Amino acid sequence: MTALFALAPLVLLLVGGLLIMLVDAFAKERVEVSALVSTLLGASFVVAAGSLLADPNPSGLPAEITRYLAVDATGYFTDVVLTVAALIATLAAGSYLREHELERPEIYLLLLLSTFGAMVLARAADLIVLFIGLETMSLAVYGMIAMRRNNARSIEAATKYFLLGSFAAAIFLFGAALLYGATGGTSIAAIRDAIRGGHAEPALVMLGLVFTLAGFAFKVAAAPFHGWAPDAYEGAMIPVTGFMSVVVKAAAFASLLRVFTGVFGDPLLMHPTTGWPTLVAALALLSMLVGNLGALGQKNIKRILAFSGIAHAGYVLVGFASLHAVPEDATAAILYYFLAYAGGTGLALASLVAFGSKGLEAVDVDDLVGLGKRHPLLALPMAIAMLSLLGIPPTAGFFAKLFLFQAAAQAGGIFAWLALAGVALSVVSGFYYLRIVVALYASEPAEGAVVARPMRSGYVLLAMVFGSALVVKLGVMPGLYLDLALEAGRGLFH
Amino acid sequence: MEFGIGAYAVLATTIFGIGALGFVVRRNFLVQLMSVELMLNAVNLLFIAFNRIYVEQHGGQSFAFVVIAVAAAEAALGLAIAIAYHRIHRSVETDLADRLRH
Amino acid sequence: MHGTPLAIALLVAVLAPLAGAIVSGLFLRNAPKKAVSLVSVSAVFVSFVAAAIAYVGLDEGSLRFEGYRWFTIPLGGGQGVPIEFALSMDALSGMMAVMVAGIATLIHLFSVGYMAEEESYARYFAYLNLFTFAMQLLVLAANLPLLFVGWEGVGLCSYLLIGFWHQNLAYEAAARKAFIVNRVGDVAVLVGMFLVASLTGTLDFEALSQRAGVFDVPAFGVLGMTAATAVSLLFFWGATAKSAQIPLYVWLPDAMAGPTPVSALIHAATMVTSGVYLSARMSPIFVKSSAALTVILLVGAATALLAGLVALTQDRMKKVLAFSTVSQLGFMFAAVGVGAFSAAMFHVFTHAFFKALLFLGAGSVMHAVHAHGDAELDRLGGLRKALPVTSLTFLVGALSLAGVPLLAGFFSKEQILHALFGAAGNAQLAAGGVAVSIPSWAATTAIVFLALAALSTAFYSLKLYLRTFTGEPRHDAEPHEGGLEMKLPLVLLAVGAVLAGYLWLPAEGLERFAESLRAVVRDALPVEAHGGALPMIVGLGALAIGAGLAVALYKGKAEDPLPAKLGAFYRAAYQNFGVDALYDRLFVRPVAAISRFVRSFDFETIDGLFVGIPSGLATVGSKAVRQLQGSTVHSHALGMVVGLVLVFGYFGYPRLEVTIRHEGARTVLEVPPSFGYSYRVDFGGDGTYETGDFRADLTALAVPPSAAKKDRVVLLVHREPLDSEPVEVWLDEHPRELGERELGADFIPPGARGALPIMAWIEDGAVKLRTNLPGDEPEERELRPGQSHRIGAARLVATGVAFARVEVKNAFGHVTVQELEFPFRGRARTAVRGGSRRIP
């Protein structure tokens, strides 16, 4: 019973999701599924945040639970990030689907179940559970993208993401099988202990690392495993893009954090020059390069955010590369980054939803021209999001980058140079983030140009207010959240 | 005749390689789906073979069952997407999907 | 939150403009223009009053408003640097805050008239208010991170305001150029901030100036510089971007695309001087590095001259003023470069008045003749009658800029010249016990540059006035003065441009102003009259020549005779000496090319990608790239497989990192332990492995005497202090000279430089030395391994050489081999041979 309470954020979503499904199936009148799902996600968020503040590391839980699902501060923190992002996406969907006459209750349920899968993935303490969480999350996302069955772009995005995602899952599984072969365990703790104890066949462990890392790198869209991301993001509906770019990425990163500090947390494997940190640093650098340079010439905002997502994956990987030197600081920085990135990207995509209306959807940067002059208040969240993603103080993104690069600088050597490269490349990102701000506030549309017309809908406004508050709060008072992230990070190393 | 674990591992790796090669080389939605299934089955074989080293518990076999179940769900969804794809392109050649680009 | 009532005034000074920005930006969009003007002008005025009250109430020392604990920069191990949300005001920031708010108020007022016809009136004032907020935050911040918030904020507002009139693409390009250049500087500020935090454990200005002693320790070497040099240069780098110095000045002239009052406020009076302000803030650190100060001095002087020359040739009012601003900022940095921070701030102060005045005058002219964007000098002339107020105040501003005695610009420019002459005269300046030594050649060069710059300043300010207001009209407009709201700021600023200099006079009642400022900034030399009458002679001479030339050339002329007279030089200077084009080639195009290249990894737009690469290579390369990429499932899958292979490749072969360490007389070879790695080592190269077969537990191994390589010897040079690492000198049979690099800079006697006093080579397994020191007999001596010889402060030891062959095998059975030669004492020489292979 205590276990049920301890896992309340997950249980709420699962039970609530099934109930909503039943209610929707049997109700005589149309049910406002979007409101129900948003409420449920909000409740889950509150419970997760409450647990994080009150009792982040509950004890006395049965081993049958904790062997499979970690119940610790890190888990609650990722719950908070994932529910926040899912909530913003759901609220945005509530407006978007109705405005564009695509309303179908299944999407919200898929969103809910996908979030559940993401939370399981982020908490997985066993590779079997990890795989189940990963697939629950991914299958639901494939479904959400393919929901617009007659839209060629959506189906193309679904095709690419599905095929490549299955391919990546198979690669990950192959790695898991090799790790099992090397150690005889499927749980992170068992594999870790076998490697520490020297009972594992080194060649199999190394191959297992290579294949699982490749699988994760695909899910977080790190270069060179990023090819799918711009296509899938562009083809999906805006709220789904928002969901994918934050929830999927954050959950995969959280799981990567558990696996790489657990299974591969051996000091020998984490040796700064011969172990995986240098490799991760190389992936980080490549991702930052590809993401930032790739975004430069794009017109489509979803595509810009896709490349921006690749770049941000690179920044987060900088934190991973520093784990060997300052494990707790780097973990805290990574977790904090999730929150900032969730706020920034979620807010940007919610704003994009709000900027469009039926037949006049905001797609390209040009569609936003002059919007800030006509609707200064409505355009403000988008500007805040861009500044945060760019890392201008005092927004969430500034501190997120500061803490990450600080961790890398402490790791010293090539990692300090990596941090410097990250700072320099984030300068490049000014080109594309600010293009959007300029379009909003400092440009006039050409005569007769078709521009997006904002919709009027409460859901998405709520999402924007919530997201803006988060981004600004994280910037003006980052202390509390960094403390929480530090606390959550310690959960991994207790 | 008795085969060692090594032989199974080599066989599984070979099948996995064939699947991966098929996925990369072929451009037919269904063939690529089948290639992924081949890769998953190679993984299953590997799990079950390795379980013979660790006979006191059944981690590998349980993992294989989970993989089989998830693969079924994945295939169902994949076929649904394939049908939608065929309705749009009148073909299952995945190269036709290149509208999303810059 | 707490603070005295006076400290609350600081908060008001910062927040009032923000409130104004929010109200007029978000709620008064459709309100009448009067309401917008009222809100935004009074918001800034409130800020001015609050700042002035706080400044007047400031007696000796400082005011501080404590907010809350903003965040903590983690430094690992549970330690961190706490950062407060706190404001503080001392003489330095007080002067800036009052000046910023005061000038901002006048410029807001001027804008009421100037922008009266503007459609986006409320948006304009919201941005201007927002800018004032950010600038006040920058100035009043109590620590570096908060200052950085303001620093970024002013950049952002500047960006929005440059692009405010977005009728053509060039404006947006200018705005973006400004922002990106500024970001380039921000990187340096951030890195500098991190260095300061990790060295001193604080970023609070007050604590920092107390802990500046940390920087006296030379042990904190960063990239071969002292910590003080590194930090100073990083902050200066940031300042070069914000304050438009070489090489990052290119954005400022383009920034004039914005409305003229914006140019006056942001790009002349306030934001661009924040680099100087930051330097003054960091003066306790700056004065600890003579090297950094020398760099700053030369960059500042060179910028002053270059921009002054370019300003001579510009033919639009705002362009002349823009380059003039760059040039004047160069003057300020030259003062910083000799450690005369208070002189630099003095020039910041006076410059704000006369440059704002000149820009507003230009705005008034443009308003009168309905010129949009900028006014061409060729289409002005004869405006004195029609615009009496503008004409008179503009003349005051121009004369003040030129440095006419008894006007504000004269006093501050004289002080800078005095400081420079002082630096040229006595190379050693005393700063709180630390000697600052500026090479006298640098100071002399700077004086020459600044004298020429002052000459061109006098020339172009007079030219500007003469060509605008005198002579025959070359336009067909019916000019008229603006309303009171435009005339009043002109008059008030003109009063400032006359009187601001007297605040510095050592007169009764005024001395506090300058003295309290000097109590805050760490001047490297007391700013008294240095160099006697010479600085004044130079200053007045430059003024007389420049002004005389201008009057002679332009009095009553309709055409500009300068292009014909100067020819090629004129054209080069007019084009900013090609710097823009150079930057375009050096930075902009490569970045564009790289971005195209990266994009092609996802798309098939490869056409025109390989510009400049031989076409054969291009064909092959593009074909290969085409095979790899595209926008299909297939191509993405290929990308993943390539990634997988690369990841696998990383672990495929083991990396070998050998370190040689010394423990007393023992030499130890160390290898990093790593997962799946096993090592074996062969000492001496005899084919037998001292470790036996590959061992996984090997981490350190003492080098046995048997590792010695026969007949190989290396010379180790121990220098003062003798316990530091010796320098290894690898010799062969050809005699070579031992110089400064081997023996230390202080070793070589001055007369012997380049005279080959010490030659060394190897002969018969021993080091041979031939010394030919002045005053001594030529001498030849042999050092066998273990023997040593002392020359001056250096001890030369011949040492035997060890040989080791280290092999490492990874989990996959791949082996990497490295063969090393190293002295029994000293670091390993680079690998002589190495490679990887598979052992069956």
Side-chain angles (χ1 to χ4, degrees), chain C residues 638-673:
Chain C
L638 262 181
M640 287 169 65
V641 171
V642 169
L644 191 61
V645 169
L646 289 179
V647 171
F648 182 73
Y650 172 81
F651 287 117
Y653 282 93
R655 249 155 297 275
L656 186 50
E657 275 201 359
V658 184
T659 29
I660 308 292
R661 215 161 39 78
H662 301 284
E663 291 170 353
R666 279 195 338 151
T667 299
V668 180
L669 181 149
E670 284 184 336
V671 286

Side-chain angles (χ1 to χ4, degrees), chain A residues 168 212-230 233 248-249 252-253 256 279-291 306-318 320 341, chain C residues 602 636 639-644 646-647:
Chain A
T212 44
L213 180 63
F216 277 120
F218 173 86
K219 276 290 164 201
V220 302
F225 301 91
H226 66 284
W228 61 276
Y233 285 20
V248 172
K249 195 177 286 243
F253 263 129
L256 182 69
L279 173 66
V280 170
L283 290 182
L285 184 64
L286 198 60
S287 302
M288 293 191 293
L289 271 170
V290 167
F307 278 105
S308 135
I310 295 165
H312 283 278
Y315 302 137
V316 175
L317 285 176
V318 171
F320 275 86
Y341 176 74
Chain C
D602 291 282
H636 296 330
M640 287 169 65
V641 171
V642 169
L644 191 61
L646 289 179
V647 171

